[in-house]
Amino acid sequence: MNKSVYDSPDNTSVSRRHILTVLVDNEPGVLARVIGMFSGRGYNIESLNVAEVSNDEHLSRITIVTEGTSEVVSQIEKQLLRIVPVHSVSNLDEEGSAVEAEVALVNIDLNETNKKKIYEICDFYRARKIENENSSIIFEIAGASERINRFIIEINQITKIEIVRSGPVAISTHKNTEEV
Amino acid sequence: MKQEMTGAEIVLQSLVDQGVEVVFGYPGGAVLPIYDTLFKQNSIKHVLVRQEGGAIHAAEGYARSTGKVGVVLVTSGPGATNVVTGLTDAMMDSIPIVCITGQVPQHLIGSDAFQECDTTGITRPCTKHNYLVKDPNKLSPVFHEAFTIAQDGRPGPVLIDIPKDVQFANGTYTKKENIIIPPHRLFEPEIFKNDKKIDEVVNLISKAKKPIFYIGGGCINSGPKAAELVSQLVEMTGAPATMTLMGLGVLGSSHPNSLGMLGMHGMYEANMAMHDCDVMINIGARFDDRVTGRLDAFSPNSKKIHIDIDESNINKTIKVDVPVVGDVSSVLKRVLKVWKDNNLKTNQSDLKLWWDKINNWKKIDCLHFTNNEKEIKPQYAIQRLYELTKDKETFITTEVGQHQMWAAQYYKFEKPNRWLTSGGLGTMGYGFPAAIGAQVANPDALVIDVAGDASILMNIQEMSTAVQYRLPVKIFILNNEYMGMVRQWQELLHGGRYSESYTDSLPDFVKLAESYKAVGLRAKKPGELDDVINEMINTDKTVIADIWVSKEENCFPMIQSGSAHNEMVLSKDQKQDKLSAEKGKILV
């Protein structure tokens, strides 16, 4: 239970991370409706990802990582479904197995002394070096968020880095009967 | 057949196609093309208000009293921002509204142009859906979808923002029959398979020893049939029924099974029965905090059934045992069918014991007040108003505050759609424009706005509207020179420090009425009350009746904030326990 003037009597379930994937009509303002619902009703967004998944039907997939008890997350799902351009909402954690991945781009401060060690770590984590005209050292790493976290911790212990992360996208491993 | 016309003409044609008869509005730069088109036609009547906030409450009153969609037409910028309160009000109370706003021409959007604001951005959280229409060809599909969305599922407000260049541009009109709305954009009842749930509902009710029906505004929104079905079910089971503020009138006040209103200022017996019941059947209500009181002590020993069209209301604050997502009428039809097919009966001896208990609570006579020869008690004023108007076709609207609660307690409603009040948002200034809307929709009915002296001033400019359209709306002001409910809370929770709740320099309401060429009446003593009410009813003009009532009367019974249903305070002398009072103080 949640969100009332009054204390909830049985707020016992644990708060944990959930990945919600929301299929929407790709029309102006749809992202604002979705994130506005989160901020307006006091829910958290840990990460957010949105892209068109079918351009002939103008459908976008929004992937939201949020944290909350199962009651709160269930309320979030129901509130999302009230939004007119929303087709469907799935909570990937509740539906059993799902594959998630995110991408991070990392600008690493390389020098002669740390070079060898860093390349070893990048190799281990399968981070790929991206060539660019300014010859700065940028790696791309993709995969589970947890793996990227570990990669960042290890590199951080050696040198300074700048990071950009996409936040995870995820898909259910069940055979899909959904629209897209 | 597709027709070429201007955007403004498409707007009007869409309204005609949707069966709209009246639009409440106020012109301005960004809607001039629509007003120009309005001028050239006769199918749609326009009611000119005096502030846009009045337009939307009038549309709400129109909608609530007829079950139709209320339509509003205002300009960009301040026109749009002035309707935000009304949109939020309609959102909270599930009133179908379509609001058309003008917008600056597209090439100026984003330039901070004169009377520009981000209307769709501002109104996104207070509408069911909104649109910015950039292409005149999309106007008619948008309008037809908007009208459907406003009425579909749980009704609510929809806003359509139209840049001025789109109003001028040519486009094709598509008839409403030719519009296909994708099902995901509407309420989809077929995704909820309720059959098993219906069996559970019937089973629980038939085995209940102490059942109670908890009836909400959803039973009104579901259409006239819903109230009949509710009565049938209540009568078939013989169980007591209580109504929320929004649900008053679903079951007639005189119905033997009705316990009246529940909640913060509800009936003692209704709240006690909610607390002690073993099966609660919530039909179209949403466990609002004004109804539940303290959650950890809310009806602790009951199994709860919740019938609601909006799935997000299920388990929102109160965990229920049997949720049924669907329209009240269609769900109740199935409940009644299963009940009849299985020839079910409630246990009469259990029910008798339950009613005995309830009848004992009734003996407390929670609405008792001590009448007075010298000053008019506000409760008495409402009682007399009821007695003198009950045989007429009467609609009651209210503002927000003590007078609203007294009207809910002492006026007896026998039919749905006769009681128009701002429940969820609690908007002072709602009642008078809502009465104007209800009077426009029901020209021969007696429409009375029960008001307070503070609330009425929030939309007093609409006097001009009422007089212009010869609307014989009656404003019945319970005048205590205070923001009564604020004062009451200050008395009960803030040591009687009446911070800014006294309204100094009130206008002379009689002269104010006269200055608008309406009729002003005044009652200062109980002996004058009946004459004033009768004269008010019999005057075929807009009337303000200024009723001077006891200044420091409190609205009881009351569940104070932080207390539970079985901890009602019946009078001033009865104190809330200290711990609850401390906790309650921080609540709203």
Side-chain angles (χ1 to χ4, degrees):
Chain A
M1 300 299 97
N2 61 334
K3 304 284 173 193
S4 168
V5 174
Y6 296 102
D7 285 343
S8 298
D10 44 7
N11 203 353
T12 46
S13 49
V14 263
S15 181
R16 58 181 191 84
R17 179 175 177 267
H18 292 255
I19 302 180
L20 300 176
T21 155
V22 189
L23 191 66
V24 298
D25 288 327
N26 186 11
E27 62 182 33
V30 64
L31 183 61
R33 290 182 206 285
V34 169
I35 61 175
M37 191 286 288
F38 275 81
S39 60
R41 292 185 182 266
Y43 303 126
N44 282 320
I45 295 181
E46 273 181 23
S47 82
L48 173 78
N49 213 295
V50 52
E52 192 163 84
V53 287
S54 149
N55 53 14
D56 51 336
E57 289 174 85
H58 300 292
L59 291 172
S60 287
R61 177 81 72 179
I62 301 176
T63 311
I64 300 164
V65 179
T66 183
E67 204 190 295
T69 60
S70 57
E71 288 87 358
V72 167
V73 175
S74 145
Q75 183 61 217
I76 293 175
E77 289 174 47
K78 290 188 263 186
Q79 292 293 348
L80 284 169
L81 280 170
R82 293 175 78 194
I83 299 171
V84 169
V86 168
H87 283 246
S88 61
V89 180
S90 331
N91 184 340
L92 290 178
D93 300 15
E94 311 263 295
E95 289 174 12
S97 46
V99 172
E100 66 167 280
E102 81 169 286
V103 174
L105 298 176
V106 191
N107 193 339
I108 300 180
D109 202 3
L110 265 190
N111 56 39
E112 283 310 313
T113 51
N114 66 20
K115 198 169 175 179
K116 184 162 174 282
K117 181 74 185 152
I118 284 172
Y119 274 110
E120 266 177 33
I121 297 169
C122 290
D123 219 33
F124 179 78
Y125 284 97
R126 293 192 303 278
R128 188 173 65 88
K129 190 175 165 192
I130 299 176
E131 304 294 336
N132 68 80
E133 68 239 36
N134 291 328
S135 67
S136 61
I137 313 297
I138 293 170
F139 285 87
E140 174 203 83
I141 174 170
S145 305
E146 196 38 50
R147 196 164 71 88
I148 296 174
N149 292 345
R150 288 201 306 271
F151 170 74
I152 290 166
I153 291 168
E154 285 197 34
I155 299 281
N156 246 334
Q157 282 164 348
I158 300 165
T159 184
K160 276 198 295 187
I161 54 173
E162 188 194 343
I163 316 153
V164 183
R165 297 178 70 157
S166 66
V169 289
I171 193 162
S172 161
T173 54
H174 293 157
K175 271 205 175 150
N176 217 332
T177 48
E178 236 187 281
E179 294 162 66
V180 167
Chain B
M1 262 301 285
K2 284 184 173 175
Q3 274 174 283
E4 187 87 358
M5 48 178 111
T6 69
E9 285 164 352
I10 294 175
V11 170
L12 266 291
Q13 189 57 50
S14 305
L15 296 181
V16 170
D17 223 14
Q18 286 292 340
V20 174
E21 289 160 1
V22 191
V23 171
F24 299 90
Y26 201 101
V31 277
L32 283 177
I34 298 176
Y35 271 89
D36 197 38
T37 313
L38 199 66
F39 189 82
K40 298 177 200 156
Q41 56 84 51
N42 286 318
S43 349
I44 290 174
K45 181 182 169 178
H46 180 269
V47 175
L48 174 69
V49 296
R50 297 303 187 266
Q51 203 255 21
E52 290 88 350
I56 189 144
H57 293 318
E60 286 185 274
Y62 180 90
R64 192 79 180 168
S65 68
T66 58
K68 295 182 197 164
V69 179
V71 182
V72 179
L73 172 60
V74 295
T75 192
S76 64
T81 54
N82 276 343
V83 298
V84 168
T85 303
L87 289 170
T88 314
D89 192 274
M91 189 73 177
M92 293 281 261
D93 287 347
S94 313
I95 314 287
I97 296 286
V98 168
C99 178
I100 306 160
T101 53
Q103 182 55 277
V104 300
Q106 288 183 77
H107 70 276
L108 291 177
I109 290 179
S111 71
D112 297 327
F114 177 64
Q115 293 196 329
E116 182 192 355
C117 74
D118 176 8
T119 303
T120 49
I122 290 169
T123 58
R124 206 171 279 130
C126 59
T127 52
K128 261 184 100 175
H129 194 55
N130 62 16
Y131 306 84
L132 171 63
V133 188
K134 295 176 166 180
D135 173 359
N137 295 306
K138 295 214 172 115
L139 271 172
S140 46
V142 161
F143 265 84
H144 298 315
E145 183 177 274
F147 272 86
T148 310
I149 288 174
Q151 301 169 83
D152 173 72
R154 181 177 177 184
V158 179
L159 180 138
I160 307 171
D161 198 26
I162 313 173
K164 197 172 182 182
D165 56 321
V166 177
Q167 300 170 31
F168 276 124
N170 281 322
T172 34
Y173 177 75
T174 316
K175 284 189 175 167
K176 85 173 172 189
E177 303 81 61
N178 300 336
I179 306 283
I180 298 157
I181 304 171
H184 74 273
R185 295 175 76 85
L186 301 173
F187 168 71
E188 294 168 85
E190 66 276 11
I191 55 175
F192 307 106
K193 297 280 177 242
N194 283 332
D195 284 335
K196 246 183 144 173
K197 293 277 165 63
I198 303 279
D199 290 343
E200 283 179 60
V201 168
V202 171
N203 195 20
L204 261 180
I205 301 176
S206 67
K207 293 198 176 121
K209 293 191 164 104
K210 298 184 285 181
I212 187 165
F213 287 94
Y214 155 34
I215 293 164
C219 301
I220 294 176
N221 283 329
S222 179
K225 192 85 189 119
E228 275 172 48
L229 293 167
V230 171
S231 311
Q232 267 186 49
L233 185 62
V234 168
E235 281 156 23
M236 245 157 51
T237 56
T242 176
M243 285 162 279
T244 66
L245 182 73
M246 301 311 290
L248 290 178
V250 171
L251 206 62
S253 248
S254 57
H255 194 288
N257 296 49
S258 167
L259 303 184
M261 185 172 77
L262 83 163
M264 186 174 269
H265 292 289
M267 303 294 284
Y268 178 75
E269 52 268 31
N271 287 329
M272 291 302 280
M274 284 287 280
H275 186 267
D276 276 16
C277 69
D278 67 346
V279 172
M280 176 189 297
I281 310 110
N282 171 344
I283 312 178
R286 61 180 175 93
F287 296 108
D288 181 86
D289 57 69
R290 283 295 180 276
V291 157
T292 60
R294 211 171 80 213
L295 289 184
D296 57 4
F298 176 74
S299 195
N301 303 314
S302 62
K303 290 268 184 202
K304 297 174 187 75
I305 297 166
H306 188 182
I307 302 169
D308 201 304
I309 201 159
D310 182 353
E311 203 193 355
S312 76
N313 281 337
I314 307 277
N315 293 337
K316 186 165 65 180
T317 55
I318 294 286
K319 192 149 180 54
V320 295
D321 302 280
V322 186
V324 186
V325 179
D327 172 57
V328 167
S329 296
S330 62
V331 172
L332 288 193
K333 266 183 209 152
R334 290 158 74 184
V335 169
L336 284 162
K337 186 172 184 311
V338 175
W339 187 274
K340 284 177 192 156
D341 287 354
N342 293 298
N343 208 5
L344 291 169
K345 281 193 179 65
T346 36
N347 185 321
Q348 292 307 306
S349 59
D350 286 337
L351 218 53
K352 164 110 187 16
L353 287 174
W354 180 223
W355 272 108
D356 286 347
K357 210 166 173 184
I358 290 169
N359 288 330
N360 265 328
W361 288 323
K362 280 189 179 177
K363 283 183 194 149
I364 298 273
D365 190 13
C366 68
L367 290 186
H368 175 80
F369 62 95
T370 317
N371 218 344
N372 190 315
E373 294 285 304
K374 290 194 190 105
E375 35 176 42
I376 303 172
K377 288 283 164 189
Q379 301 94 325
Y380 177 70
I382 303 288
Q383 274 183 344
R384 292 313 303 157
L385 182 71
Y386 170 67
E387 289 302 330
L388 298 170
T389 58
K390 64 181 177 188
D391 299 325
K392 300 189 183 296
E393 183 87 349
T394 310
F395 289 81
I396 300 289
T397 75
T398 73
E399 311 288 336
V400 169
Q402 285 185 321
H403 67 273
Q404 176 190 29
M405 291 300 117
W406 282 317
Q409 291 172 333
Y410 293 90
Y411 204 95
K412 311 289 175 204
F413 296 93
E414 299 297 333
K415 285 183 193 167
N417 298 90
R418 297 307 173 91
W419 162 247
L420 322 176
T421 193
S422 169
L425 193 63
T427 312
M428 290 169 74
Y430 165 90
F432 181 32
I436 289 177
Q439 187 82 75
V440 167
N442 305 275
D444 301 324
L446 174 63
V447 183
I448 304 170
D449 170 31
V450 176
D453 51 272
S455 279
I456 190 61
L457 290 179
M458 286 214 181
N459 268 321
I460 194 69
Q461 77 285 345
E462 301 305 329
M463 279 300 288
S464 197
T465 309
V467 172
Q468 179 186 344
Y469 295 93
R470 296 192 168 78
L471 300 169
V473 171
K474 321 298 183 206
I475 302 171
F476 190 73
I477 303 176
L478 300 181
N479 187 347
N480 56 12
E481 297 184 350
Y482 277 109
M483 293 159 212
M485 196 58 96
V486 174
R487 191 207 56 73
Q488 176 169 343
W489 279 52
Q490 287 172 335
E491 180 187 337
L492 298 175
L493 293 164
H494 294 272
R497 292 177 294 279
Y498 296 163
S499 179
E500 303 296 322
S501 54
Y502 180 72
T503 354
D504 206 327
S505 310
L506 277 174
D508 177 329
F509 284 108
V510 172
K511 283 188 181 157
L512 183 134
E514 284 161 3
S515 78
Y516 280 106
K517 300 184 184 68
V519 175
L521 305 170
R522 178 171 292 133
K524 293 181 183 176
K525 295 270 171 298
E528 301 161 4
L529 188 60
D530 279 19
D531 287 346
V532 165
I533 294 174
N534 279 325
E535 194 178 342
M536 174 183 90
I537 298 167
N538 297 327
T539 306
D540 190 27
K541 276 185 157 185
T542 311
V543 180
I544 296 182
D546 182 22
I547 312 297
W548 290 15
V549 297
S550 304
K551 294 204 187 308
E552 298 195 3
E553 190 71 17
N554 284 332
C555 186
F556 285 116
M558 180 179 188
I559 305 175
Q560 295 197 32
S561 281
S563 292
H565 272 170
N566 60 343
E567 300 168 334
M568 276 203 107
V569 175
L570 295 167
S571 74
K572 216 168 175 167
D573 318 315
Q574 200 182 337
K575 290 272 180 281
Q576 188 184 25
D577 83 82
K578 217 171 169 187
L579 192 68
S580 306
E582 275 311 307
K583 278 174 122 181
K585 214 165 169 175
I586 60 159
L587 304 175
V588 284

